[in-house]
Amino acid sequence: LHPCVAEAESVDSVGTGRRYYAEIKSRLSTIAGEHEGVSFADFHRGGNHGLGHECFNDIEHLNLEEGMSALNKMLADKIREIEKR
Protein backbone atom coordinates (compact mmCIF):
# COMPACT_ATOMS: atom_id res chain seq x y z
CA LEU A 1 0.00 0.00 0.00
CA HIS A 2 1.30 3.43 -0.95
CA PRO A 3 2.89 5.30 1.99
CA CYS A 4 0.49 8.24 1.55
CA VAL A 5 -2.23 6.16 3.27
CA ALA A 6 -0.07 4.46 5.91
CA GLU A 7 -1.78 6.39 8.70
CA ALA A 8 -5.33 5.91 7.37
CA GLU A 9 -8.02 4.05 9.30
CA SER A 10 -7.82 1.17 6.84
CA VAL A 11 -4.64 -0.67 5.89
CA ASP A 12 -5.50 -1.20 2.22
CA SER A 13 -7.55 0.21 -0.62
CA VAL A 14 -10.51 -2.10 0.08
CA GLY A 15 -10.99 -0.77 3.60
CA THR A 16 -9.53 -3.50 5.83
CA GLY A 17 -9.56 -1.92 9.28
CA ARG A 18 -6.49 -1.97 11.50
CA ARG A 19 -8.16 -4.19 14.11
CA TYR A 20 -9.24 -6.73 11.48
CA TYR A 21 -5.77 -6.62 9.93
CA ALA A 22 -4.27 -7.45 13.34
CA GLU A 23 -6.67 -10.38 13.67
CA ILE A 24 -5.73 -11.69 10.21
CA LYS A 25 -2.03 -11.41 11.07
CA SER A 26 -2.51 -13.16 14.39
CA ARG A 27 -4.44 -16.03 12.82
CA LEU A 28 -1.91 -16.52 10.03
CA SER A 29 0.94 -16.50 12.56
CA THR A 30 -0.90 -19.11 14.62
CA ILE A 31 -1.50 -21.32 11.59
CA ALA A 32 2.16 -21.06 10.57
CA GLY A 33 3.23 -21.95 14.11
CA GLU A 34 1.05 -25.07 14.07
CA HIS A 35 2.69 -26.52 10.95
CA GLU A 36 6.32 -27.50 10.61
CA GLY A 37 8.08 -25.82 7.72
CA VAL A 38 5.45 -23.08 7.36
CA SER A 39 6.34 -19.43 7.91
CA PHE A 40 4.28 -16.28 7.87
CA ALA A 41 5.90 -13.01 6.86
CA ASP A 42 4.05 -9.70 7.02
CA PHE A 43 5.70 -7.52 4.41
CA HIS A 44 2.77 -5.12 4.38
CA ARG A 45 3.17 -4.18 8.07
CA GLY A 46 -0.12 -2.34 8.16
CA GLY A 47 1.07 0.03 5.45
CA ASN A 48 4.32 0.81 7.31
CA HIS A 49 6.50 -1.32 5.06
CA GLY A 50 9.25 1.21 4.47
CA LEU A 51 8.71 1.46 0.72
CA GLY A 52 8.75 5.02 -0.61
CA HIS A 53 6.57 6.74 -3.19
CA GLU A 54 9.09 5.92 -5.90
CA CYS A 55 8.32 2.19 -5.52
CA PHE A 56 4.69 2.49 -6.63
CA ASN A 57 2.79 2.80 -9.90
CA ASP A 58 -0.44 3.67 -8.09
CA ILE A 59 -2.02 3.50 -4.64
CA GLU A 60 -1.27 -0.22 -4.11
CA HIS A 61 0.77 -1.68 -6.98
CA LEU A 62 4.57 -1.72 -6.98
CA ASN A 63 6.36 -0.63 -10.13
CA LEU A 64 8.82 -2.79 -12.05
CA GLU A 65 11.91 -0.78 -11.15
CA GLU A 66 12.28 0.38 -7.56
CA GLY A 67 9.26 -1.53 -6.25
CA MET A 68 10.27 -4.89 -7.69
CA SER A 69 13.86 -4.49 -6.51
CA ALA A 70 12.80 -3.50 -2.99
CA LEU A 71 10.32 -6.38 -2.64
CA ASN A 72 12.83 -8.88 -4.05
CA LYS A 73 15.37 -7.76 -1.43
CA MET A 74 12.77 -8.08 1.34
CA LEU A 75 11.88 -11.60 0.16
CA ALA A 76 15.52 -12.67 -0.16
CA ASP A 77 16.30 -11.36 3.33
CA LYS A 78 13.31 -13.22 4.80
CA ILE A 79 14.25 -16.46 3.02
CA ARG A 80 17.81 -16.22 4.38
CA GLU A 81 16.40 -15.59 7.88
CA ILE A 82 14.09 -18.62 7.62
CA GLU A 83 16.87 -20.86 6.29
CA LYS A 84 19.02 -20.05 9.36
CA ARG A 85 16.40 -21.48 11.73
Side-chain angles (χ1 to χ4, degrees), residues 66-78:
E66 293 90 350
M68 180 181 67
S69 295
L71 182 58
N72 282 343
K73 181 181 181 329
M74 292 167 72
L75 289 167
D77 291 347
K78 180 54 78 173

Side-chain angles (χ1 to χ4, degrees), residues 2-3 49-58 61-71:
H2 197 285
H49 40 63
L51 300 173
H53 299 281
E54 69 282 355
C55 293
F56 290 84
N57 274 339
D58 58 31
H61 297 99
L62 295 174
N63 62 39
L64 294 177
E65 295 84 30
E66 293 90 350
M68 180 181 67
S69 295
L71 182 58

Side-chain angles (χ1 to χ4, degrees), residues 1-7 11-12 18 21 42-56 58-62 67 70-71 74:
L1 189 66
H2 197 285
C4 72
V5 292
E7 298 303 318
V11 296
D12 58 26
R18 294 199 179 275
Y21 174 74
D42 175 24
F43 294 105
H44 184 274
R45 299 182 195 136
N48 297 308
H49 40 63
L51 300 173
H53 299 281
E54 69 282 355
C55 293
F56 290 84
D58 58 31
I59 197 76
E60 63 183 336
H61 297 99
L62 295 174
L71 182 58
M74 292 167 72

